[in-house]
Amino acid sequence: MDHKSDISARPPGPDGVARKAAGQPLYLRVAATLKEEILGGLHPVGAQLPTEHELCARFAVSRFTIREALRQLRDDGLIMSRQGAGTVVVPAAAPDLYVLHAMSINDLLTFTTNTRFEIEMMKMVTLDDPLAARLDLQAGDEWLAIRGFRHAEGMEAPVCWTEYYINREFAAVGRLLPRHAGPIFPLIEDLFALSIGEVRQEVTAVLITAEQAARYQVDEGTAALEVRRIYTAADGRIVQVTVNIHPAARFRLSMTMRRVKP
């Protein structure tokens, strides 16, 4: 493959980027192609990537798109940019580090699609005061609880411990989950003809418990990040709450914020 090749073997769309992963932002598709080339050895460690101008011409995209794609590769630890030296490929990050790039609800689909969830418990639970406070829900309400570890290809230890709490109005989705490999909230949207309009995310520092330590292959009390997401439908109902607990040394959450003009 040379630098003039398309993003994939499929015919490119009108924007010059192949239709592969068409649901992703344009810069992520460009970044994914460059990442495949770097990991495949087309751009070896120490080599310079083509210039921004050359990449713009190759992918038929704007300089802004290329810069965002390169930022993504920097966040992944694959390249380094130096003033006057261009963009250089560097050794890849440790294989046991999982990076989640979150800019939209669609990015959460990528996370769950690229990992495998092993259900260890699924049952209806009545929220007691401590659990309700942890989830920011009403004590005494009944929710479908699904708990287990999530795994990523190539990683020996689990990516995270995951807890799903599904509003009892939508608990019927549970019967499909043992045979369902992807994210849950799109399944709820399809089954109940509703739309998730907002996901609120909070990140808290916690410690790995004794029960989790052996599975994570870390010591009890190891620092971890608890990521809680509350999924709210367009009509204001809370549909799902998800809690992921990641050992801090194995997880990085990357978020991009842009100024919105009034």
Side-chain angles (χ1 to χ4, degrees):
M1 179 184 292
D2 58 29
H3 291 315
K4 296 183 182 296
S5 60
D6 291 326
I7 280 191
S8 77
R10 299 181 182 183
D15 55 9
V17 177
R19 300 181 188 280
K20 179 182 178 182
Q24 288 186 325
L26 189 56
Y27 80 91
L28 284 179
R29 286 183 268 161
V30 173
T33 296
L34 293 174
K35 181 176 181 178
E36 288 179 4
E37 294 178 354
I38 290 171
L39 296 179
L42 182 61
H43 308 294
V45 173
Q48 284 191 337
L49 285 185
T51 66
E52 289 183 4
H53 178 75
E54 291 170 331
L55 292 172
C56 287
R58 173 190 171 187
F59 293 113
V61 296
S62 68
R63 177 163 289 187
F64 172 80
T65 297
I66 293 300
R67 287 178 175 173
E68 286 297 291
L70 295 178
R71 177 194 57 75
Q72 182 79 51
L73 295 177
R74 282 193 295 271
D75 288 345
D76 285 345
L78 294 176
I79 62 172
M80 178 175 58
S81 299
R82 290 179 177 174
Q83 187 69 28
T87 301
V88 179
V89 178
V90 298
D96 58 352
L97 178 67
Y98 196 91
V99 181
L100 170 61
H101 300 278
M103 290 183 62
S104 69
I105 293 177
N106 286 343
D107 292 332
L108 301 179
L109 293 172
T110 302
F111 170 66
T112 50
T113 300
N114 292 339
T115 59
R116 172 175 49 86
F117 181 53
E118 291 186 356
I119 297 175
E120 298 198 353
M121 183 276 284
M122 180 167 58
K123 65 179 182 180
M124 297 300 300
V125 299
T126 300
L127 303 183
D128 57 18
D129 289 337
L131 183 56
R134 178 174 174 241
L135 301 178
D136 198 17
L137 296 174
Q138 182 68 40
D141 287 351
E142 194 174 22
W143 290 68
L144 174 65
I146 308 107
R147 298 167 184 161
F149 282 96
R150 189 170 290 281
H151 299 262
E153 185 177 355
M155 294 179 63
E156 182 179 352
V159 171
C160 62
W161 168 258
T162 295
E163 302 174 21
Y164 289 100
Y165 296 90
I166 309 297
N167 188 319
R168 68 171 299 165
E169 294 182 52
F170 315 110
V173 74
R175 71 179 186 273
L176 302 179
L177 298 184
R179 300 179 302 278
H180 179 69
I184 296 178
F185 75 86
L187 193 58
I188 296 175
E189 289 180 314
D190 290 342
L191 284 176
F192 297 95
L194 55 80
S195 175
I196 300 297
E198 177 183 277
V199 179
R200 177 162 57 93
Q201 176 170 274
E202 296 181 358
V203 181
T204 306
V206 297
L207 299 177
I208 296 295
T209 66
E211 293 179 332
Q212 297 165 344
R215 296 289 296 274
Y216 278 128
Q217 301 178 22
V218 298
D219 294 331
E220 179 184 356
T222 296
L225 295 175
E226 181 179 281
V227 182
R228 184 185 68 183
R229 300 187 183 100
I230 299 177
Y231 295 73
T232 304
D235 61 9
R237 286 179 294 175
I238 295 178
V239 173
Q240 172 181 312
V241 178
T242 305
V243 178
N244 293 317
I245 300 178
H246 302 262
R250 299 181 190 163
F251 179 72
R252 184 170 73 235
L253 175 63
S254 175
M255 302 181 67
T256 300
M257 292 175 284
R258 296 190 176 93
R259 188 181 297 277
V260 177
K261 295 182 179 180

